[in-house]
Amino acid sequence: MTAREHVASDRAAELSATLDGLLRERESLLATLDRVVALQGTARLIRESVGVHSGFVGELDKPGEAVIRWMSGNRTDALQNLVVPVGQGIGGRVLALGKPVRVNDYVSSPTITHQFDAQVRGEGIGAMLAVPIFSRVGDRTETVAIAYAAMREAAEFGDDAVRTLELVAQQAGTALELAKIAESKRENAVSAERRRMQSALHDSVGALLFSIGVQVRNLHEDIQDNPVLSSRLRRLEGDVSAASSALRESLLALSESSPERALPVELAEHCRSFEARCGVPARFVQLAPVPPLDAERTALLISAVREGLLNVEKHARALSVVVSLLPSDGGVQVVVADDGTGTGEPAEAPGTGMGLRGLAERAARLGGRVSVVRDEDDGCTLRAWVGRPA
């Protein structure tokens, strides 16, 4: 190898290390601003840090009950959306004890209950380690999620593995706390604390994003002859742009705003979280300014969009979703339209699911309406309308 080739090789290694650092910063920023991204990233980080075949995270939906939603390295969906009550299996034992639990071979372990042996066998898991993820709730610390590490054969997790997983769990707990701040309730926008959080996010995260952007631009000229690094740089640029958008939405949510302004922010956030969770593009469009609504009607429209996106996730097999907000018939309407091929609902009738039936009943009490229509060219459209308060 010539001296010139040595220099070029060393420069490529240096640039690659720089990009690695920027990508780590990007992951940290996204986790700070979005709870879903934080938990998805935690599942991946478990695999990388502990050196296991799979990592997954169960989040507490209510006290004493976790649901496994975020997974990395899984081969099947056997554990997806598995409900884990306190005391059951390795995760339930973690909830009961508030400390790490490890087993060398899950299905033969005498230290745990075995309600989930079928799911564990289905995923092909042997050894498993689980630790609690703590976060501050009010003035106390509580378990808010469970971090799992698993091997596909019988094995022994040592103390180093436990400490590593606990460190990952600690980082996840911090990310969840920060994400909770960024997603604070919109109705508290006028408080001094929200203004302080807005300023802190702008000064810290905003400045860091700007710094990353400058470094990315400076790297452009240096890697024109390196297609591998160029590809990674393009990916980084896209991720920085996504992080900047997330920051703008968070700052807008924390700023002083009227209820009619807070509604589109909330709907856009649900679209963003849906896309991060499912990988299906979800676009929010406000077609025109909408009149102000009271809290009950605003909550109904937000619930309708949430339910519509949930149905798309469960049933539609969609390639894209569009959520629209617009004034209509003297009131406000939201529309959730997908291009899926899943089973649709009867035309011009509320859905038969419990969630949609409940929405239709709430809307009727407010003088509004909810409908779900199967489109002629595939896809399904949910509409929810409420009039202005008297």
Side-chain angles (χ1 to χ4, degrees), residues 24 73 90 95 102 129 131 164 217 252 287:
R24 285 193 295 271
I90 188 171
L95 288 180
R102 47 186 162 178
L129 165 65
V131 305
T164 300
R217 288 191 294 272
L252 181 58
L287 299 177

Side-chain angles (χ1 to χ4, degrees), residues 13 44 64 185 328:
R44 293 193 299 270
K185 297 292 185 179
S328 175

Side-chain angles (χ1 to χ4, degrees), residues 111-147:
T111 63
I112 60 172
T113 64
H114 291 277
Q115 289 89 346
F116 310 120
D117 282 4
Q119 292 89 339
V120 170
R121 285 195 184 98
E123 179 58 30
I125 288 177
M128 189 179 295
L129 165 65
V131 305
I133 296 176
F134 297 112
S135 182
R136 291 196 62 81
V137 179
D139 58 353
R140 63 189 186 280
T141 299
E142 292 184 356
T143 300
V144 294
I146 305 168

Side-chain angles (χ1 to χ4, degrees), residues 283-322:
R283 186 162 57 97
F284 170 70
V285 179
Q286 183 172 357
L287 299 177
V290 296
L293 298 173
D294 58 21
E296 190 173 13
R297 286 170 173 80
T298 299
L300 173 70
L301 295 181
I302 292 172
S303 296
V305 169
R306 186 186 300 117
E307 183 68 21
L309 291 174
L310 180 62
N311 284 340
V312 173
E313 180 179 352
K314 288 182 176 179
H315 308 299
R317 299 193 293 275
L319 298 177
S320 64
V321 186
V322 176

Side-chain angles (χ1 to χ4, degrees), residues 14 20 212 225 247 255 263 277 284 302 304 377:
E14 179 184 345
D20 285 336
I212 292 176
D225 57 347
L247 176 61
S255 66
L263 177 59
R277 185 171 67 250
F284 170 70
I302 292 172
D377 55 347

Side-chain angles (χ1 to χ4, degrees), residues 114-379:
H114 291 277
Q115 289 89 346
F116 310 120
D117 282 4
Q119 292 89 339
V120 170
R121 285 195 184 98
E123 179 58 30
I125 288 177
M128 189 179 295
L129 165 65
V131 305
I133 296 176
F134 297 112
S135 182
R136 291 196 62 81
V137 179
D139 58 353
R140 63 189 186 280
T141 299
E142 292 184 356
T143 300
V144 294
I146 305 168
Y148 297 83
M151 301 292 290
R152 298 198 179 280
E153 66 270 348
E156 183 176 349
F157 284 108
D159 292 341
D160 287 344
V162 174
R163 284 192 291 267
T164 300
L165 187 55
E166 286 181 319
L167 179 59
V168 173
Q170 181 181 354
Q171 294 171 345
T174 301
L176 288 175
E177 291 177 5
L178 293 172
K180 185 177 180 180
I181 292 174
E183 297 169 359
S184 297
K185 297 292 185 179
R186 272 63 180 169
E187 58 264 31
N188 296 327
V190 297
S191 68
E193 179 63 14
R194 288 175 67 85
R195 291 195 297 271
R196 185 196 66 78
M197 289 189 293
Q198 181 192 27
S199 176
L201 279 172
H202 179 273
D203 293 345
S204 59
V205 180
L208 186 52
L209 277 173
F210 178 79
S211 174
I212 292 176
V214 171
Q215 294 180 67
V216 167
R217 288 191 294 272
N218 290 340
L219 286 172
H220 262 299
E221 295 181 0
D222 295 321
I223 63 174
Q224 290 178 354
D225 57 347
N226 191 317
V228 175
L229 292 181
S230 293
S231 175
R232 295 181 66 198
L233 182 57
R234 285 193 297 272
R235 175 191 168 205
L236 178 60
E237 287 180 299
D239 289 336
V240 170
S241 177
S244 297
S245 296
L247 176 61
R248 285 194 297 270
E249 288 185 9
S250 296
L251 292 179
L252 181 58
L254 290 169
S255 66
E256 296 185 358
S257 62
S258 60
E260 62 271 22
R261 182 60 179 152
L263 177 59
V265 172
E266 186 83 7
L267 299 185
E269 181 177 335
H270 280 296
C271 288
R272 182 168 57 85
S273 294
F274 170 90
E275 184 170 329
R277 185 171 67 250
C278 305
V280 176
R283 186 162 57 97
F284 170 70
V285 179
Q286 183 172 357
L287 299 177
V290 296
L293 298 173
D294 58 21
E296 190 173 13
R297 286 170 173 80
T298 299
L300 173 70
L301 295 181
I302 292 172
S303 296
V305 169
R306 186 186 300 117
E307 183 68 21
L309 291 174
L310 180 62
N311 284 340
V312 173
E313 180 179 352
K314 288 182 176 179
H315 308 299
R317 299 193 293 275
L319 298 177
S320 64
V321 186
V322 176
V323 175
S324 305
L325 173 68
L326 66 153
S328 175
D329 296 333
V332 179
Q333 179 173 255
V334 293
V335 181
V336 181
D338 70 78
D339 61 357
T341 59
T343 301
E345 302 290 349
E348 302 298 343
T352 58
M354 289 295 293
L356 291 173
R357 282 208 304 272
L359 280 173
E361 292 169 0
R362 286 173 59 189
R365 288 195 296 269
L366 295 172
R369 56 183 179 268
V370 174
S371 67
V372 180
V373 179
R374 182 69 183 173
D375 302 331
E376 293 181 359
D377 55 347
D378 284 335

